[in-house]
Amino acid sequence: LFIVVDSFTVLMTESQMKNAVAGDMVGDQGQQAKQLKALIKQMTHLSARRDISVNGVVHTMQEQNSNPMKKVKTEIMLGGRGLAYLASMAFVFSKYSLVEDTKDDDEDDGGNKKVIGIRAGAKLYKSRFAKPNERVDINIPYDTGISLTGGVFKKFYNEGILLMPVSGWYSVNPDALTSDGKPVGVVAGVPEKFRKADFEKHCTTVLNALFPTDDVDVVEFDET
């Protein structure tokens, strides 16, 4: 059983609904945070020993006293951070603009950067099953949809699978270990050095070298 709650933040009690129908605006005086904590605590315990997955959305808002000079504003969770600690796993999702450099002869864009899609970020905020604070970024261009290789470059570079021997150029680390614990060596079909923008062309080849198809289930996607 797979349950999705979208969202916990906008749930209302019966009394709140009655007030809304009657046209009365009544402040909760901090009751919503307490009620949400109690609800998620109960759902966590009731579903823990059953074949049930409960997934819910909690919204965040920018903290009012955030430093306006900071590029990254402080986000607070509506209902309090206690919600994340009561759940078995919590992710923080963010959304940014996916841009590309359009310095060409097109007079419409004036040689500026153009928004071509969405760059979504997912960070493992808390987990009882995996290492927390891991993050991956996924590119979602408007014209092609979600990129199946988005975030792989950053992940591989952080883990040392990709190296930067020369500024602006990258290569596959021959000492990187495959899924069976052997060095990957020279990956056939991948140039000795390549630009970051060209990695998507070689991503599948590198993945197949690190994780042979006999070790994992291969899923094929129909482009249509």
Side-chain angles (χ1 to χ4, degrees):
L1 181 59
F2 193 85
I3 301 173
V4 178
V5 182
D6 186 9
S7 66
F8 282 116
T9 309
V10 297
L11 289 176
M12 296 178 67
T13 62
E14 291 184 6
S15 60
Q16 289 174 328
M17 180 61 73
K18 290 179 181 179
N19 291 330
V21 173
D24 297 330
M25 295 291 293
V26 180
D28 64 2
Q29 298 181 351
Q31 290 300 310
Q32 184 186 33
K34 296 179 181 179
Q35 291 167 345
L36 282 178
K37 289 178 183 178
L39 173 63
I40 294 178
K41 183 177 181 179
Q42 292 171 2
M43 296 180 73
T44 300
H45 282 279
L46 290 172
S47 62
R49 290 176 172 79
R50 296 175 173 85
D51 194 14
I52 299 175
S53 176
V54 182
N55 301 265
V57 177
V58 176
H59 299 285
T60 63
M61 64 179 295
Q62 191 177 117
E63 192 174 13
Q64 294 181 357
N65 60 352
S66 294
N67 186 344
M69 301 303 294
K70 290 184 178 180
K71 291 184 178 180
V72 180
K73 308 299 182 182
T74 303
E75 296 285 333
I76 59 175
M77 186 180 301
L78 298 179
R81 295 191 179 275
L83 304 180
Y85 292 103
L86 290 171
S88 298
M89 186 175 293
F91 292 87
V92 177
F93 296 99
S94 54
K95 183 177 71 172
Y96 310 94
S97 296
L98 180 63
V99 298
E100 70 173 0
D101 196 351
T102 58
K103 293 181 179 180
D104 49 29
D105 297 330
D106 190 349
E107 296 180 357
D108 294 335
D109 56 48
N112 296 321
K113 291 187 176 180
K114 179 180 178 182
V115 178
I116 61 171
I118 296 171
R119 181 166 59 88
K123 179 180 179 181
L124 183 57
Y125 179 74
K126 175 264 180 85
S127 174
R128 293 176 181 163
F129 313 104
K131 184 174 66 173
N133 299 320
E134 291 291 300
R135 178 187 172 90
V136 64
D137 292 317
I138 302 173
N139 295 333
I140 312 175
Y142 292 136
D143 55 347
T144 61
I146 189 170
S147 171
L148 299 180
T149 58
V152 177
F153 178 90
K154 182 177 181 180
K155 183 72 173 176
F156 278 7
Y157 184 74
N158 291 339
E159 293 187 355
I161 297 175
L162 295 179
L163 304 175
M164 186 170 62
V166 182
S167 179
W169 292 87
Y170 298 86
S171 63
V172 179
N173 182 2
D175 296 326
L177 300 181
T178 63
S179 56
D180 56 3
K182 300 178 181 178
V184 68
V186 177
V187 180
V190 179
E192 183 179 350
K193 293 187 297 182
F194 52 85
R195 293 287 190 179
K196 180 179 180 180
D198 296 327
F199 175 71
E200 191 166 354
K201 303 176 185 177
H202 314 299
C203 181
T204 302
T205 304
V206 177
L207 284 170
N208 290 336
L210 290 169
F211 309 99
T213 54
D214 56 349
D215 292 344
V216 297
D217 293 331
V218 178
V219 180
E220 295 184 357
F221 292 88
D222 185 356
E223 295 183 356
T224 61

